[in-house]
Amino acid sequence: MAGSERTRMAAGEWYTCLDDELEALRVIARDAVFEHNSLPPGRRGNIGPALKSLLGATGEGARIEAPFHCAYGFNVFLGDSVFLNAGCTILDTATVRIGKRTLLGPNVQIYCAEHHKEVAGRQAGLEIARPVEIGANVWIGGSAIILGGVSIGEGAIVGAGSVVTRDVAANTTVMGNPARPAARG
């Protein structure tokens, strides 16, 4: 493992989040998020100016309701007409790609960071970042949690309150904790 903690994070290697460079990047994100969450809706538009410039990509008509939170922002890529409802949190230590026309309900949470399983590793701030890929035309119900390393296929539905711990096939409905395919009825 050579290079900075940011380089290790981007490479999907163990890194320490207790790092001055990473903290400086989180401060930039917090400022952009604060602006987004504080602007009156008419002045904010679909995404606050600082947040929009920070995000990895924002497709035409992508919208993020306030309040919103992200760890870094530059790892978040939104397709055309993506909608994130109020209260969404994206801990984007790895890339999070959300396909066009995908809808996230209120309070959806996406966690890319996985903490070390050993106490000493957690005390040292060791994490590993796993990307999240969400296809086009996906619907994720309110308060669902998507864990790092998960892909959700095009047209899938994730039920409200579900915890997605593994990949979801295209055009499949999953629900529960852990999320599993819904019985056909």
Side-chain angles (χ1 to χ4, degrees), residues 93-152:
T93 54
T95 58
V96 175
R97 296 185 185 280
I98 302 175
K100 61 186 176 183
R101 294 181 305 277
T102 288
L103 309 172
L104 276 64
N107 301 310
V108 168
Q109 301 166 59
I110 300 172
Y111 304 145
C112 293
E114 179 182 317
H115 298 280
H116 204 277
K117 293 187 177 25
E118 300 293 327
V119 171
R122 289 193 303 275
Q123 289 175 339
L126 287 178
E127 298 178 345
I128 195 164
R130 304 197 189 283
V132 170
E133 183 86 25
I134 301 172
N137 300 303
V138 172
W139 175 23
I140 300 177
S143 297
I145 298 172
I146 314 298
L147 297 185
V150 166
S151 290
I152 299 174

Side-chain angles (χ1 to χ4, degrees), residues 35-57:
E35 178 198 70
H36 173 83
N37 292 336
S38 300
L39 282 171
R43 287 193 33 226
R44 178 179 63 234
N46 285 344
I47 303 173
L51 182 59
K52 186 169 186 167
S53 69
L54 181 64
L55 296 177

Side-chain angles (χ1 to χ4, degrees), residues 78-103:
L78 306 177
D80 294 345
S81 301
V82 165
F83 178 76
L84 279 62
N85 211 326
C88 286
T89 296
I90 301 178
L91 300 184
D92 60 313
T93 54
T95 58
V96 175
R97 296 185 185 280
I98 302 175
K100 61 186 176 183
R101 294 181 305 277
T102 288
L103 309 172

